């Protein structure tokens, strides 16, 4: 693990007219670590994630990303071409709803291969081999390679979306509620898979979730958001076992014990 | 004063022609780039070649010789109607002979007879955006063109191979012009794609409903997209034309009766007629000759 942050955000603020999306958020992400952003609906988690992932320009604040060559780049100062290239090579974005992140009209193989073709791979055989390899890694049967995602179950779609994002070997993956809408056993399998892949590939990830169990399982650090502000952050185990803020205490105590 | 209705030469008013010419000049300056233009209502329905007609009307002069083809044929409804339209509104000479024409307006084919320096071929285009079926948002496709993000085009070709074992796109086969813009060559069969490469003729494309004009200047590099291990190939026909015996031409299938008899004939009728007048005889033509 490097001692230089991969991404540095300072004072990130997004204002929607009168309302605050998120306010004065500072965040450093180091290579290989997973940071969870938790909080209830409407607390600004997704707004923050969109700002960090260059999908939504913040109203104030700065976000710097360390490129592969080591220089620190202001995300919103780089050209659109470079930003888009970064988004489809060095980054991944896993949507809550797989249909937003997948091309539902083309086969699973083409979904996985799209990024490869976007960076100039022009050999059908190699694209297909890579796609097969990735389907295997996300536990999708390889004979489904020519099926369209709309013939897949929710869990399979989510795994396919993950494969599609990881195929170019990104260093940073953004995940917006990756387990939302999946049943518990499918969630468990997906979390297990994600944990394995993240460890194996040394990815850094920012995971937005309202599910504290997901944060506990995946992340090393956690940020708790309320009304657009970060009210508490620290090591995941510390925050969840010994919450300081009343709101965090409320969140932690709201978990159903079965 | 006569009671006859008066049309400006080539139907469109001079300001409109000027606007279209500016779009054409821009299109020529940026090969393969789709230039928006203020498409006018034409006296024919959209989808019948309103774009091509506007381009032709903007460039035609009194000395031009016009040829109009539809699927290669000079004598089908679309071709006959558009030719008659221009005869009426310009009174220029018309021809079916590819070599004699200065402007060729076409729907879905490039003539078999090689085009030469100084000729202009005008294509009627229904959907100018090659990325449309994969990316429905116009804002997004424009950005993709601007940033040269053409990976998606290969996703379509990948799908073809995955599903059919080969690139099954047979018409409107995407090309890259001068190493920059990916372009839809209009619904011409991919058989005609190689003819666009380094063509001495100026190629203009007009899409009336979609309001776009694009162009390939003479002697431009036009490359059909493909994969390294699945290279671009054109259709091959195992039989020659049944009327003129021509090889290496694009053939149409014609059903002869209700018992499944069919023949394959040149889709380019002028080419076929030319060969027959030179004395070439195909199989079906020989049979008919004997019957007489």
């Amino acid at each position: 693990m490097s001692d230089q942050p991969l991404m540095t955000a300072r004072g990130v603020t997004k204002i929607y007219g009168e309302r605050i999306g998120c306010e004065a958020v500072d965040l450093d992400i180091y290579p290989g670590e997973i940071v969870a952003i938790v909080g209830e609906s409407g607390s600004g988690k997704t707004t923050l994630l969109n700002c960090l992932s260059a999908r939504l320009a913040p109203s104030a604040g700065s976000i710097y990303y360390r490129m592969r060559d080591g220089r620190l780049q202001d995300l919103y100062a780089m050209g659109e071409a470079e930003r888009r290239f970064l988004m489809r090579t060095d980054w991944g974005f896993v949507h809550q709803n797989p249909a937003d992140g997948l091309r539902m009209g083309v086969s699973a193989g083409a979904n996985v291969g799209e990024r490869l073709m976007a960076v100039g791979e022009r050999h059908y055989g190699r694209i297909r081999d890579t796609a097969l390899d990735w389907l295997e890694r996300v536990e999708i049967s390889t004979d489904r390679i020519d099926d369209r995602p709309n013939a897949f179950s929710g869990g399979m779609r989510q795994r396919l979306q993950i494969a599609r994002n990881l195929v170019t070997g990104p260093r940073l993956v953004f995940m917006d509620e990756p387990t939302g809408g999946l049943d518990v056993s499918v969630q468990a399998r997906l979390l297990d898979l994600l944990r394995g892949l993240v460890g194996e590939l040394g990815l850094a990830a920012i995971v937005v979730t309202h599910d504290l169990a997901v944060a506990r399982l995946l992340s090393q650090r956690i940020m708790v958001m309320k009304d657009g502000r970060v009210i508490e952050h620290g090591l995941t185990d510390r925050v969840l076992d010994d919450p300081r803020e009343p709101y965090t205490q409320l969140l932690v105590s709201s978990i159903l014990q079965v | 004063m006569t009671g006859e209705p008066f049309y400006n030469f080539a139907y469109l008013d001079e300001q409109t022609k000027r606007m279209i010419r500016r779009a054409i000049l821009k299109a020529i300056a940026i090969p393969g780039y789709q230039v928006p233009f203020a498409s006018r209502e034409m006296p024919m329905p959209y989808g019948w070649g309103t774009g091509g007609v506007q381009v032709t009307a903007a460039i035609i002069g009194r000395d031009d010789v016009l040829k109009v083809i539809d699927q290669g044929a000079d004598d089908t409804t679309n071709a006959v109607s558009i030719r008659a339209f221009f005869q009426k509104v310009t009174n220029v000479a018309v021809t079916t002979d590819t070599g004699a024409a200065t402007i060729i307006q076409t729907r879905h084919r490039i003539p078999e007879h090689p085009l030469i320096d100084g000729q202009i071929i005008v294509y009627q285009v229904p959907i100018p955006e090659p990325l449309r079926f994969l990316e429905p948002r116009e804002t997004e496709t424009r950005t993709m063109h601007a940033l040269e993000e053409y990976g998606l085009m290969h996703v379509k070709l990948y799908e073809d191979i995955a599903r059919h074992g080969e690139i099954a796109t047979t018409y409107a086969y995407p090309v890259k012009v001068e190493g920059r813009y990916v372009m839809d060559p209009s619904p011409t069969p991919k058989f005609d794609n190689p003819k666009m490469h380094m063509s001495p003729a100026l190629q203009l494309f007009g899409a009336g409903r979609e309001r776009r004009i694009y162009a390939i200047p003479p002697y431009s590099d036009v490359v059909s997209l493909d994969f390294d291990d699945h290279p671009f190939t054109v259709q091959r026909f195992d039989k020659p034309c049944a009327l003129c015996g021509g090889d290496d031409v694009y053939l149409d299938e014609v059903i002869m009766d209700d018992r499944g008899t069919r023949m394959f004939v040149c889709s380019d009728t002028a080419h076929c007629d030319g060969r027959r007048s030179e004395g070439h005889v195909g199989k079906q033509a020989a049979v008919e000759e004997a019957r007489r």
Side-chain angles (χ1 to χ4, degrees):
Chain A
M1 204 181 273
S2 160
D3 54 355
Q4 282 186 315
L6 195 59
M7 179 180 264
T8 304
R10 289 288 172 269
V12 177
T13 302
K14 176 70 193 176
I15 294 165
Y16 299 109
E18 303 259 296
R19 294 174 202 288
I20 292 168
C22 62
E23 196 176 16
V25 177
D26 295 342
L27 176 67
D28 286 314
I29 294 164
Y30 291 85
E33 81 167 342
I34 302 182
V35 178
I37 304 174
V38 299
E40 60 190 10
S41 301
S43 59
K45 305 186 301 273
T46 300
T47 297
L48 176 62
L49 191 77
N50 285 338
C51 287
L52 293 175
S53 58
R55 299 157 66 85
L56 181 70
S59 317
S62 61
I63 303 167
Y64 288 90
Y65 181 72
R66 193 169 304 278
M67 310 295 279
R68 280 183 194 253
D69 58 12
R71 76 205 146 87
L72 212 53
Q73 268 269 28
D74 185 344
L75 270 193
Y76 288 94
M78 63 169 84
E80 192 179 4
E82 197 181 2
R83 194 158 64 226
R84 285 172 69 111
F85 185 74
L86 189 74
M87 287 168 92
R88 61 168 193 265
T89 54
D90 221 17
W91 289 2
F93 197 104
V94 177
H95 294 261
Q96 172 174 8
N97 179 4
D100 296 341
L102 292 171
R103 270 184 208 288
M104 300 303 278
V106 300
S107 69
N111 265 291
V112 178
E114 183 179 342
R115 277 181 163 221
L116 295 173
M117 293 183 247
V119 295
E121 175 63 90
R122 292 289 178 266
H123 191 281
Y124 175 79
R126 279 202 298 269
I127 293 167
R128 202 164 168 85
D129 289 344
T130 314
L132 284 169
D133 178 46
W134 269 100
L135 289 183
E136 224 160 76
R137 290 171 83 163
V138 297
E139 298 166 21
I140 294 175
S141 161
T142 50
D143 60 6
R144 303 295 304 268
I145 185 167
D146 293 332
D147 291 349
R148 291 180 184 193
N150 44 24
F152 285 8
S153 69
M156 280 169 81
R157 286 182 193 183
Q158 198 56 289
R159 293 202 296 276
L160 181 64
Q161 198 193 171
I162 289 164
R164 170 182 160 89
N165 273 289
L166 297 188
V167 68
T168 47
R171 294 189 299 155
L172 178 59
V173 179
F174 301 92
M175 299 188 211
D176 190 4
E177 304 275 11
T179 58
L182 300 177
D183 68 53
V184 189
S185 60
V186 175
Q187 268 193 30
R189 196 165 154 210
L190 186 73
L191 285 174
D192 199 40
L193 176 81
L194 269 179
R195 208 148 67 135
L197 284 174
V198 163
E200 186 185 326
L201 302 170
L203 297 173
I206 303 176
V207 184
V208 159
T209 181
H210 61 262
D211 186 343
L212 293 181
V214 170
R216 169 86 88 177
L217 271 171
L218 281 180
S219 68
Q220 287 102 40
R221 281 201 297 142
I222 195 168
M223 287 168 57
V224 183
M225 291 188 74
K226 185 176 188 296
D227 300 333
R229 292 183 155 273
V230 175
I231 54 165
E232 184 164 3
H233 70 276
L235 295 177
T236 305
D237 289 343
R238 203 282 293 156
V239 173
L240 294 184
D241 291 340
D242 178 23
R244 278 180 208 157
E245 294 291 323
Y247 176 72
T248 317
Q249 290 167 3
L250 180 77
L251 266 187
V252 171
S253 61
S254 305
I255 299 175
L256 279 178
Q257 303 293 334
V258 186
Chain B
M1 289 290 274
T2 62
E4 284 287 296
F6 172 76
Y7 287 114
N8 190 27
F9 178 76
Y11 186 74
L12 296 174
D13 62 274
E14 292 306 315
Q15 286 304 314
T16 300
K17 287 192 209 169
R18 186 182 150 113
M19 172 273 293
I20 295 173
R21 286 174 193 146
R22 290 174 73 137
I24 292 172
L25 287 175
K26 182 169 178 181
I28 295 170
I30 318 172
Y33 172 72
Q34 299 165 43
V35 183
F37 78 111
S39 179
R40 298 290 195 255
E41 293 282 338
M42 296 303 282
M44 60 174 73
Y46 287 126
W48 282 48
T50 52
V53 166
Q54 288 179 75
V55 170
T56 302
I59 60 172
I60 201 164
R62 292 183 199 281
D63 301 332
D64 274 313
V65 182
L66 180 70
K67 171 182 164 77
V68 184
I69 52 173
D70 167 15
Q71 308 268 11
D74 292 275
D75 54 4
T76 51
T77 316
N78 193 273
V80 169
S81 310
I82 293 175
R83 189 164 53 232
F85 171 76
F86 278 112
Q87 272 180 301
K88 183 171 183 181
V89 298
T90 65
N91 206 21
V92 299
V94 294
T95 181
T96 57
D97 178 5
T98 305
T102 56
I103 298 175
I104 301 164
Q105 181 169 334
T106 177
R107 171 174 177 268
H108 300 194
R109 272 313 304 280
I110 299 174
E112 306 289 358
H113 187 280
L115 300 179
I116 54 166
D117 224 330
Q119 284 185 313
I120 301 177
I121 181 163
V122 178
Y123 297 78
Q124 301 169 199
V125 183
I127 297 166
E129 179 51 73
L131 301 162
R132 178 62 68 241
F133 290 104
L134 293 147
E135 179 51 69
R137 287 168 295 180
E138 175 72 14
T139 49
E140 185 64 17
T141 53
R142 281 204 210 185
T143 312
M144 289 161 81
H145 280 295
L147 301 178
E148 247 183 297
E149 287 180 5
Y150 290 132
L152 204 52
M153 216 60 255
H154 276 84
V155 171
K156 176 174 161 36
L157 301 180
Y158 171 97
E159 272 304 270
D160 267 2
I161 304 175
R163 229 176 275 169
H164 307 287
E166 58 176 359
I167 298 177
T169 303
T170 53
Y171 66 96
Y173 191 102
V175 294
K176 195 168 213 179
V177 184
E178 285 290 294
R180 178 59 181 85
Y181 282 96
V182 165
M183 190 196 90
D184 183 340
S186 87
T188 51
K190 67 177 175 181
F191 182 88
D192 287 339
N193 273 17
K195 293 178 192 161
M196 307 178 105
H197 177 62
M198 288 294 154
S199 170
L202 170 63
Q203 305 177 64
L204 302 175
F205 299 78
R209 181 182 48 211
E210 302 287 326
R211 304 180 171 186
R212 295 289 183 276
I213 285 172
Y214 51 104
I216 303 175
Y219 302 105
S220 295
D221 205 33
V222 180
V223 181
S224 303
L225 301 182
D226 59 4
F227 284 105
D228 297 345
D229 49 347
H230 286 267
F232 172 79
T233 53
V234 298
Q235 298 99 322
R236 288 270 160 251
F237 298 90
D238 47 6
K239 276 186 219 149
C241 168
L243 294 180
C244 76
D247 273 318
D248 290 330
V249 291
Y250 193 76
L251 301 180
D252 278 345
E253 183 181 15
V254 179
I255 293 172
M256 305 291 285
D257 54 27
D258 56 3
R259 293 187 304 278
T261 317
R262 51 199 61 196
M263 68 168 177
F264 286 88
V265 296
C266 291
S267 102
D268 185 341
T269 52
H271 179 76
C272 200
D273 291 347
R275 279 179 54 86
R276 292 175 75 185
S277 64
E278 285 166 17
H280 297 278
V281 180
K283 225 172 171 183
Q284 183 68 25
V287 169
E288 266 162 41
E289 194 65 31
R291 209 179 282 159
R292 256 179 239 147

